[in-house]
Amino acid sequence: MRQQIAAANWKMNLTLTQGEQLLDAILKNEYSLNEHRKVVLAIPFPYLLPAVNKVKNTQGVFVAAQNCYNKKSGAFTGETSVEMLQSIGVEYVVLGHSERREYFNESNSFLAEKVNIVLENNLIPIFCCGESLTIREEGTQNEFVANQLKESLFHLSADQIKKVVIAYEPIWAIGTGKTASSQQAQDIHLHIRNTFAAAYGNEVAQDITILYGGSVKGNNAAEIFAMPDVDGGLVGGASLNADEFAIIINALK
Ligand code: 13P
């Protein structure tokens, strides 16, 4: 089901106390959230359980893990299974963030396995895609992103694909303060939706939630989110400030 989502990605930041203070500050604001308008907080593993307990009674706010492993359980020291995440009440998992692709060599096929295990456990993948600056300068970003989607997602059924949230995050806009223009975001979001339409039909494609990520801030969120194929954002730096993230949440359509 297509939704509007303001997702925070805390990445590897904050101590427990800082995280609790940030979460309390986010939750004390009023937002008009409902089944179609949500906040998802992707926070570090050690704080997932306390965060789940804190957001439990707040409508429209959910907790995401920033990663998981592609195996059910077993001798994989240091890894976290989807079953573990599910058992503590986590509902979303960010997969294939460009930082994981780059620093941990996560490939499209490896991510396809993670998508499968997340869906098998009834959690929702937030699947990240997006091109580097070199690819953008070559002008081949559409083909590059379509290939990421094809290799990791196109084995899914129509019912499964509708559950996946897509986050388009151009690498050149992440943490750089250099955001894509709202028109650049719209153009590639439409391309992503058309890529799904070609594989699954237009009705399915219209149902897919596609978030934009890359230097989303309080002062540009409304313009970007207003674009017809942008269904919210995945926010890094600006999500670490409760007041700024509140502006971003309120910028959702
Ligand atoms: P910034 O918002 O800090 O650019 O990070 C974007 C991002 O990577 C979210 O996953």
Side-chain angles (χ1 to χ4, degrees), residues 45 66-72 79-82 85 93-97 100-101 104-127 151-153 155-156 164:
F45 283 113
Q66 296 176 12
N67 182 33
C68 69
Y69 201 47
N70 65 331
K71 300 281 193 292
K72 190 172 158 35
E79 291 298 332
T80 304
S81 74
V82 185
L85 298 173
V93 186
V94 176
L95 293 178
H97 192 281
R100 297 217 53 91
R101 292 175 186 265
F104 303 95
N105 296 318
E106 295 198 0
S107 66
N108 292 339
S109 58
F110 182 58
L111 292 169
E113 293 177 8
K114 291 193 181 192
V115 168
N116 289 346
I117 200 157
V118 168
L119 288 171
E120 273 164 30
N121 284 276
N122 295 316
L123 270 70
I124 300 169
I126 300 177
F127 181 83
E151 292 191 0
S152 298
L153 300 177
H155 61 285
L156 299 175
V164 178

Side-chain angles (χ1 to χ4, degrees), residues 176-247:
T176 59
K178 188 179 168 205
T179 179
S181 69
S182 51
Q183 193 56 52
Q184 279 175 320
Q186 168 58 23
D187 288 349
I188 196 147
H189 279 230
L190 178 61
H191 166 70
I192 290 169
R193 205 176 294 289
N194 287 340
T195 304
F196 284 117
Y200 293 95
N202 192 44
E203 208 175 311
V204 171
Q206 289 304 328
D207 245 5
I208 296 177
T209 305
I210 309 175
L211 312 181
Y212 168 79
S215 299
V216 173
K217 309 278 177 216
N219 64 9
N220 61 23
E223 186 187 335
I224 298 170
F225 295 175
M227 301 313 279
D229 287 290
V230 178
D231 304 312
L234 178 56
V235 186
S239 75
L240 298 173
N241 178 303
D243 292 337
E244 191 158 4
F245 190 55
I247 296 171

